[in-house]
Amino acid sequence: MATTSGSLGYMEGIAGARLHEQWFIAQALDEVKEPPFDPARANDHETVRAAVREDGAALKFASLVVRADREIVLEAVSHNGEALKWACSRLKADREVVLVACAQAGGRALTHAAKVLRGDRDILAAACGRDGLALRYASESLQDDFGLVLKAVASDAEALGYSSDRMRKGGFHAQLSELLEARRALDVFLAAARRHRSG
């Protein structure tokens, strides 16, 4: 069927509107729109330290020298794990920095970590405890780790889709379901016990 110039123009208008909408959403999601300090002080460690205590995302306005300051980056990721994306490469491979970031922001932080750390069970446990879907970034061996998959699925049932084939197709699926059901029952029991104690 031939496309008229009028309908083509209409379609282009829709595409343009969608692009504008995507740009607007991207802007709205950006936590810090303007530097929280005078850009001339981007190399001042104390100024940046004070700013990241308020909002870790302020790290993006720091100089490259300050982004390599381990203490400042640790401060930033403890408030906003996604601030890891503005850290220097050396700190993206620093186990403690990444562990703190993942405990705070789950998979959103893990995406910025050095890939070698995706095979670190403690880091994945921290990320999956916060965000079960972080399992998608785990190494193949960890996607086949029953304990880690259980932790991820307890946080988000959809995480099972990122586990190994053996885990999804084998008898592990039934085991996971039983364990999750037991955990839910325990949560209900503990909540009732807390209400009883406070009542």
Side-chain angles (χ1 to χ4, degrees):
M1 183 175 75
T3 305
T4 66
S5 60
S7 63
L8 184 61
Y10 175 73
M11 289 165 61
E12 286 173 346
I14 289 175
R18 285 184 180 153
L19 282 173
H20 178 74
E21 181 181 309
Q22 288 170 358
W23 177 88
F24 182 82
I25 290 169
Q27 294 298 308
L29 290 175
D30 193 10
E31 297 97 340
V32 182
K33 295 187 175 46
E34 293 185 18
F37 48 80
D38 182 343
R41 297 186 64 82
N43 204 38
D44 183 85
H45 292 247
E46 292 314 309
T47 297
V48 176
R49 190 187 312 277
V52 299
R53 278 190 190 124
E54 294 296 315
D55 184 350
L59 185 65
K60 71 179 172 180
F61 298 108
S63 70
L64 294 177
V65 171
V66 176
R67 291 185 198 187
D69 183 315
R70 188 173 187 275
E71 295 309 310
I72 288 177
V73 171
L74 267 170
E75 185 76 45
V77 299
S78 71
H79 296 289
N80 182 340
E82 291 182 79
L84 185 64
K85 67 181 162 186
W86 296 295
C88 70
S89 298
R90 176 178 57 83
L91 294 178
K92 288 178 180 179
D94 183 302
R95 188 173 185 276
E96 184 188 358
V97 170
V98 173
L99 194 55
V100 170
C102 288
Q104 204 284 327
R108 295 188 318 277
L110 194 57
T111 59
H112 306 295
K115 286 189 178 177
V116 68
L117 293 177
R118 294 182 185 182
D120 186 306
R121 194 181 191 287
D122 291 338
I123 286 173
L124 264 295
C128 290
R130 175 81 178 173
D131 166 23
L133 296 181
L135 188 65
R136 77 179 79 180
Y137 304 114
S139 64
E140 286 184 19
S141 64
L142 289 179
Q143 289 176 341
D144 194 50
D145 181 307
F146 182 77
L148 186 64
V149 172
L150 179 61
K151 188 176 190 83
V153 173
S155 174
D156 189 325
E158 296 295 317
L160 186 61
Y162 297 106
S163 65
S164 67
D165 284 347
R166 184 176 77 96
M167 199 73 70
R168 288 194 309 275
K169 297 174 183 173
F172 293 99
H173 191 279
Q175 277 183 283
L176 280 169
S177 298
E178 286 174 22
L179 284 167
L180 286 172
E181 198 55 47
R183 179 176 173 156
R184 287 189 195 101
L186 179 61
D187 288 344
V188 169
F189 172 78
L190 291 174
R194 279 193 294 271
R195 281 196 304 273
H196 178 73
R197 219 179 2 219
S198 61

